[in-house]
Amino acid sequence: MAGILVAWVEETPWMPRLHSDAATEAFCTTLVRETIVARVDDAVAGFMTRREDEILCLYVARDARCLGIGAALIGQAQRARPKLALWSFAENRAARRFYARNGFSETGGTSGDNEEGLPDIRLEWRRG
């Protein structure tokens, strides 16, 4: 999980690198109880952490993107809860398109009220 998260930060030019690899790995160990992991050929291909109605993070490894892994993770959460919400960085247009395709609507945002200091968007989904 930490490898996927570190790789995403490294390949995303607008994302500041705030934590070492070791700190990221330690952070990921705190998520394990609430995380669903997707595997492809025994390797972690993606993961989603959810706390009740809030999706805290969803990441898919670069070589596993566009295989339906993210949609499968979201679908599992949507089957488990009648509503979901999450934050996405405003600059992360690919993620915002992904969530829109999966039924999420943008409901608000901030100018950077987060650890990274980057503008973000609030997205919500409700079972119809």
Side-chain angles (χ1 to χ4, degrees), residues 28 34 43 48 53 57 62 79-80 86 95 102 106-107:
C28 285
E34 301 165 338
M48 178 184 65
D53 295 343
C57 60
R62 177 179 220 149
R79 287 186 297 279
L86 60 92
N102 285 280
E106 295 184 6
T107 60

PDB file of all heavy atoms in Angstrom, residues 28 34 43 48 53 57 62 79-80 86 95 102 106-107:
ATOM      1  N   CYS A  28       0.349   3.807   6.619  1.00  0.00           N
ATOM      2  CA  CYS A  28      -0.463   2.746   6.013  1.00  0.00           C
ATOM      3  C   CYS A  28      -0.756   1.632   7.010  1.00  0.00           C
ATOM      4  O   CYS A  28      -1.839   1.036   6.950  1.00  0.00           O
ATOM      5  CB  CYS A  28       0.228   2.200   4.769  1.00  0.00           C
ATOM      6  SG  CYS A  28       0.108   3.332   3.353  1.00  0.00           S
ATOM      7  N   GLU A  34      -9.316  -0.854   8.412  1.00  0.00           N
ATOM      8  CA  GLU A  34     -10.435  -0.270   7.679  1.00  0.00           C
ATOM      9  C   GLU A  34     -10.195  -0.253   6.174  1.00  0.00           C
ATOM     10  O   GLU A  34     -10.845   0.477   5.450  1.00  0.00           O
ATOM     11  CB  GLU A  34     -10.677   1.155   8.192  1.00  0.00           C
ATOM     12  CG  GLU A  34     -10.975   1.190   9.672  1.00  0.00           C
ATOM     13  CD  GLU A  34     -10.864   2.582  10.268  1.00  0.00           C
ATOM     14  OE1 GLU A  34     -10.193   3.435   9.683  1.00  0.00           O
ATOM     15  OE2 GLU A  34     -11.451   2.792  11.324  1.00  0.00           O
ATOM     16  N   ALA A  43      -0.105  -9.521  -5.960  1.00  0.00           N
ATOM     17  CA  ALA A  43       0.460  -8.211  -5.640  1.00  0.00           C
ATOM     18  C   ALA A  43      -0.680  -7.244  -5.323  1.00  0.00           C
ATOM     19  O   ALA A  43      -1.755  -7.324  -5.914  1.00  0.00           O
ATOM     20  CB  ALA A  43       1.274  -7.671  -6.819  1.00  0.00           C
ATOM     21  N   MET A  48      -8.570   0.818  -0.764  1.00  0.00           N
ATOM     22  CA  MET A  48      -9.500   1.862  -0.366  1.00  0.00           C
ATOM     23  C   MET A  48      -9.693   1.763   1.137  1.00  0.00           C
ATOM     24  O   MET A  48      -9.920   0.677   1.669  1.00  0.00           O
ATOM     25  CB  MET A  48     -10.848   1.698  -1.050  1.00  0.00           C
ATOM     26  CG  MET A  48     -11.873   2.758  -0.614  1.00  0.00           C
ATOM     27  SD  MET A  48     -13.502   2.503  -1.338  1.00  0.00           S
ATOM     28  CE  MET A  48     -13.956   0.952  -0.603  1.00  0.00           C
ATOM     29  N   ASP A  53     -19.257   6.152   6.500  1.00  0.00           N
ATOM     30  CA  ASP A  53     -19.685   6.753   5.231  1.00  0.00           C
ATOM     31  C   ASP A  53     -18.585   7.555   4.541  1.00  0.00           C
ATOM     32  O   ASP A  53     -18.824   8.123   3.473  1.00  0.00           O
ATOM     33  CB  ASP A  53     -20.880   7.688   5.457  1.00  0.00           C
ATOM     34  CG  ASP A  53     -22.118   6.952   5.923  1.00  0.00           C
ATOM     35  OD1 ASP A  53     -22.186   5.723   5.769  1.00  0.00           O
ATOM     36  OD2 ASP A  53     -23.020   7.616   6.460  1.00  0.00           O
ATOM     37  N   CYS A  57      -9.306   7.226   1.569  1.00  0.00           N
ATOM     38  CA  CYS A  57      -8.368   7.212   0.450  1.00  0.00           C
ATOM     39  C   CYS A  57      -8.683   6.045  -0.473  1.00  0.00           C
ATOM     40  O   CYS A  57      -9.223   5.026  -0.042  1.00  0.00           O
ATOM     41  CB  CYS A  57      -6.919   7.158   0.925  1.00  0.00           C
ATOM     42  SG  CYS A  57      -6.486   5.733   1.924  1.00  0.00           S
ATOM     43  N   ARG A  62      -0.132   2.214 -10.629  1.00  0.00           N
ATOM     44  CA  ARG A  62      -0.086   2.735 -11.999  1.00  0.00           C
ATOM     45  C   ARG A  62      -0.344   1.644 -13.041  1.00  0.00           C
ATOM     46  O   ARG A  62      -1.140   1.826 -13.950  1.00  0.00           O
ATOM     47  CB  ARG A  62       1.265   3.399 -12.248  1.00  0.00           C
ATOM     48  CG  ARG A  62       1.410   3.884 -13.665  1.00  0.00           C
ATOM     49  CD  ARG A  62       2.722   4.552 -13.924  1.00  0.00           C
ATOM     50  NE  ARG A  62       2.408   5.678 -14.772  1.00  0.00           N
ATOM     51  CZ  ARG A  62       3.041   6.801 -14.795  1.00  0.00           C
ATOM     52  NH1 ARG A  62       4.051   6.998 -14.008  1.00  0.00           N
ATOM     53  NH2 ARG A  62       2.677   7.763 -15.588  1.00  0.00           N
ATOM     54  N   ARG A  79     -22.311  -0.715  -2.119  1.00  0.00           N
ATOM     55  CA  ARG A  79     -23.227  -1.780  -1.711  1.00  0.00           C
ATOM     56  C   ARG A  79     -23.356  -1.847  -0.189  1.00  0.00           C
ATOM     57  O   ARG A  79     -24.395  -2.252   0.329  1.00  0.00           O
ATOM     58  CB  ARG A  79     -22.760  -3.127  -2.265  1.00  0.00           C
ATOM     59  CG  ARG A  79     -23.002  -3.256  -3.768  1.00  0.00           C
ATOM     60  CD  ARG A  79     -22.677  -4.637  -4.292  1.00  0.00           C
ATOM     61  NE  ARG A  79     -21.284  -5.024  -4.149  1.00  0.00           N
ATOM     62  CZ  ARG A  79     -20.303  -4.653  -4.965  1.00  0.00           C
ATOM     63  NH1 ARG A  79     -20.564  -3.853  -5.994  1.00  0.00           N
ATOM     64  NH2 ARG A  79     -19.067  -5.064  -4.771  1.00  0.00           N
ATOM     65  N   ALA A  80     -22.318  -1.418   0.523  1.00  0.00           N
ATOM     66  CA  ALA A  80     -22.303  -1.514   1.981  1.00  0.00           C
ATOM     67  C   ALA A  80     -22.965  -0.332   2.680  1.00  0.00           C
ATOM     68  O   ALA A  80     -23.401  -0.459   3.825  1.00  0.00           O
ATOM     69  CB  ALA A  80     -20.859  -1.648   2.474  1.00  0.00           C
ATOM     70  N   LEU A  86     -16.279  11.915   0.284  1.00  0.00           N
ATOM     71  CA  LEU A  86     -14.820  11.920   0.256  1.00  0.00           C
ATOM     72  C   LEU A  86     -14.322  13.294  -0.168  1.00  0.00           C
ATOM     73  O   LEU A  86     -15.097  14.135  -0.622  1.00  0.00           O
ATOM     74  CB  LEU A  86     -14.296  10.851  -0.710  1.00  0.00           C
ATOM     75  CG  LEU A  86     -14.722  10.976  -2.182  1.00  0.00           C
ATOM     76  CD1 LEU A  86     -13.724  11.774  -2.994  1.00  0.00           C
ATOM     77  CD2 LEU A  86     -14.924   9.605  -2.769  1.00  0.00           C
ATOM     78  N   ALA A  95      -9.213  11.854 -10.956  1.00  0.00           N
ATOM     79  CA  ALA A  95      -9.989  11.291  -9.846  1.00  0.00           C
ATOM     80  C   ALA A  95     -11.395  11.874  -9.844  1.00  0.00           C
ATOM     81  O   ALA A  95     -12.373  11.138  -9.645  1.00  0.00           O
ATOM     82  CB  ALA A  95      -9.291  11.575  -8.516  1.00  0.00           C
ATOM     83  N   ASN A 102     -18.825   7.308 -11.315  1.00  0.00           N
ATOM     84  CA  ASN A 102     -19.338   6.366 -10.325  1.00  0.00           C
ATOM     85  C   ASN A 102     -20.421   6.973  -9.447  1.00  0.00           C
ATOM     86  O   ASN A 102     -20.706   6.477  -8.355  1.00  0.00           O
ATOM     87  CB  ASN A 102     -18.184   5.792  -9.507  1.00  0.00           C
ATOM     88  CG  ASN A 102     -17.407   4.778 -10.312  1.00  0.00           C
ATOM     89  OD1 ASN A 102     -17.816   3.633 -10.431  1.00  0.00           O
ATOM     90  ND2 ASN A 102     -16.310   5.213 -10.914  1.00  0.00           N
ATOM     91  N   GLU A 106     -20.050  16.809  -6.883  1.00  0.00           N
ATOM     92  CA  GLU A 106     -19.262  17.774  -6.122  1.00  0.00           C
ATOM     93  C   GLU A 106     -20.209  18.642  -5.313  1.00  0.00           C
ATOM     94  O   GLU A 106     -21.169  19.194  -5.847  1.00  0.00           O
ATOM     95  CB  GLU A 106     -18.397  18.604  -7.067  1.00  0.00           C
ATOM     96  CG  GLU A 106     -17.365  17.752  -7.775  1.00  0.00           C
ATOM     97  CD  GLU A 106     -16.416  18.527  -8.668  1.00  0.00           C
ATOM     98  OE1 GLU A 106     -16.457  19.783  -8.683  1.00  0.00           O
ATOM     99  OE2 GLU A 106     -15.608  17.865  -9.354  1.00  0.00           O
ATOM    100  N   THR A 107     -19.944  18.748  -4.010  1.00  0.00           N
ATOM    101  CA  THR A 107     -20.859  19.466  -3.124  1.00  0.00           C
ATOM    102  C   THR A 107     -20.202  20.630  -2.379  1.00  0.00           C
ATOM    103  O   THR A 107     -20.884  21.321  -1.629  1.00  0.00           O
ATOM    104  CB  THR A 107     -21.474  18.511  -2.084  1.00  0.00           C
ATOM    105  OG1 THR A 107     -20.429  17.940  -1.296  1.00  0.00           O
ATOM    106  CG2 THR A 107     -22.283  17.416  -2.762  1.00  0.00           C
TER     107      THR A 107
END
